[in-house]
Amino acid sequence: MTSPHSGQRKTPRPRADALRNRERIVTAAREMFNEFGPDVPLDEIARRACVGNATVYRNFPDRDALVREVVCSVIDRTSEAAEQALAETGDTFEALERFVHTSADERIHALCPMVQSTFDKHHPDLAAARERFERLVDQLIDRAKAAGQLRADVGVGDLMTAVVQLSRPPAGTGCHTLDRFVHRTLQLFLDGLRAPARSALPGRAVTMEDLRQS
């Protein structure tokens, strides 16, 4: 008797070595986009990942597909930092501080030149990664506000704009020698976020949607 599922073809699971190669490519691309910008030759990325050019194109048919994957990777890694901060049960502002410093270490500033690429900004993978990230950071901010530790006029957009701007050396300029000062500068900024506020900020709290529209 023929099984009702005998005519259906199972989707083969990727081999472990194929998954490792893909991860190596994404990691190498993330490093090189950060160092040189998103226009770095794919051949150079393949060389750093220690894979052949054909392996790169088998995983990512064009540059846009690779850039989108790297953007999602950076957002996902930063979301994991937010989840870890939310899991902490101690001082809510200190948890927010750790998230900010970890975001800088994850090179979230490298997203700026990457999002100028021509890839689909509404791709489902990117939309899901972005939605998760914004939800988690909102929760971090709301928790610190509820505890009376974070000034009330700050939004997610304010926080992430500062993190990006204060930790972003221009790609390809050799300014990574300034990395050792990033956390000092970020801490100065974070101290200004503590409640009670010493001044009134102009305008209203900036959201991530405000940033996308600009």
Side-chain angles (χ1 to χ4, degrees), residues 134 155-158 161 204-213:
E134 292 177 16
V156 178
D158 294 306
T161 296
R204 60 176 177 78
V206 179
T207 67
M208 293 300 288
E209 184 60 29
D210 291 331
L211 297 185
R212 281 194 290 273
Q213 291 177 355

Side-chain angles (χ1 to χ4, degrees), residues 144-159:
K145 286 181 179 179
Q149 295 183 304
L150 176 67
R151 55 188 298 163
D153 54 355
V154 171
V156 178
D158 294 306
L159 183 72

Side-chain angles (χ1 to χ4, degrees), residues 90-93 140-150 195:
D91 185 292
T92 60
F93 195 89
L140 268 176
I141 286 178
D142 289 345
R143 191 175 67 163
K145 286 181 179 179
Q149 295 183 304
L150 176 67

Side-chain angles (χ1 to χ4, degrees), residues 47-172:
R47 187 172 296 111
R48 180 172 293 196
C50 298
V51 301
N53 293 358
T55 301
V56 173
Y57 286 105
R58 187 162 53 246
N59 281 275
F60 305 102
D62 54 37
R63 178 182 298 276
D64 282 352
L66 178 56
V67 173
R68 184 181 64 242
E69 184 74 10
V70 171
V71 169
C72 287
S73 172
V74 173
I75 295 175
D76 285 344
R77 289 162 65 96
T78 311
S79 293
E80 289 169 8
E83 284 183 331
Q84 291 175 7
L86 284 169
E88 297 176 12
T89 57
D91 185 292
T92 60
F93 195 89
E94 287 182 2
L96 182 66
E97 285 181 326
R98 279 189 284 277
F99 163 72
V100 167
H101 287 293
T102 302
S103 296
D105 287 337
E106 289 295 346
R107 309 286 190 183
I108 196 169
H109 59 265
L111 293 179
C112 286
M114 282 192 277
V115 296
Q116 303 304 316
S117 181
T118 57
F119 71 84
D120 179 9
K121 308 299 189 299
H122 304 289
H123 189 281
D125 291 348
L126 180 59
R130 189 169 55 219
E131 180 180 343
R132 174 191 175 210
F133 170 78
E134 292 177 16
R135 183 181 69 252
L136 290 168
V137 182
D138 260 328
Q139 291 174 21
L140 268 176
I141 286 178
D142 289 345
R143 191 175 67 163
K145 286 181 179 179
Q149 295 183 304
L150 176 67
R151 55 188 298 163
D153 54 355
V154 171
V156 178
D158 294 306
L159 183 72
M160 298 317 299
T161 296
V163 173
V164 168
Q165 294 297 328
L166 294 176
S167 62
R168 181 189 173 194

Side-chain angles (χ1 to χ4, degrees), residues 30-31 34-36 100-110 163-187:
R30 185 172 65 241
E31 293 171 354
N34 178 60
E35 294 171 23
F36 306 109
V100 167
H101 287 293
T102 302
S103 296
D105 287 337
E106 289 295 346
R107 309 286 190 183
I108 196 169
H109 59 265
V163 173
V164 168
Q165 294 297 328
L166 294 176
S167 62
R168 181 189 173 194
T173 61
C175 287
H176 295 285
T177 55
L178 299 178
D179 276 359
R180 66 185 187 277
F181 305 128
V182 164
H183 293 290
R184 176 182 174 86
T185 306
L186 284 173
Q187 193 59 49

Side-chain angles (χ1 to χ4, degrees), residues 16-30 49 51 59-60 69 73 77:
D17 59 339
L19 291 174
R20 284 194 296 271
N21 282 341
R22 184 180 179 90
E23 182 58 32
R24 278 201 293 265
I25 294 166
V26 173
T27 298
R30 185 172 65 241
V51 301
N59 281 275
F60 305 102
E69 184 74 10
S73 172
R77 289 162 65 96

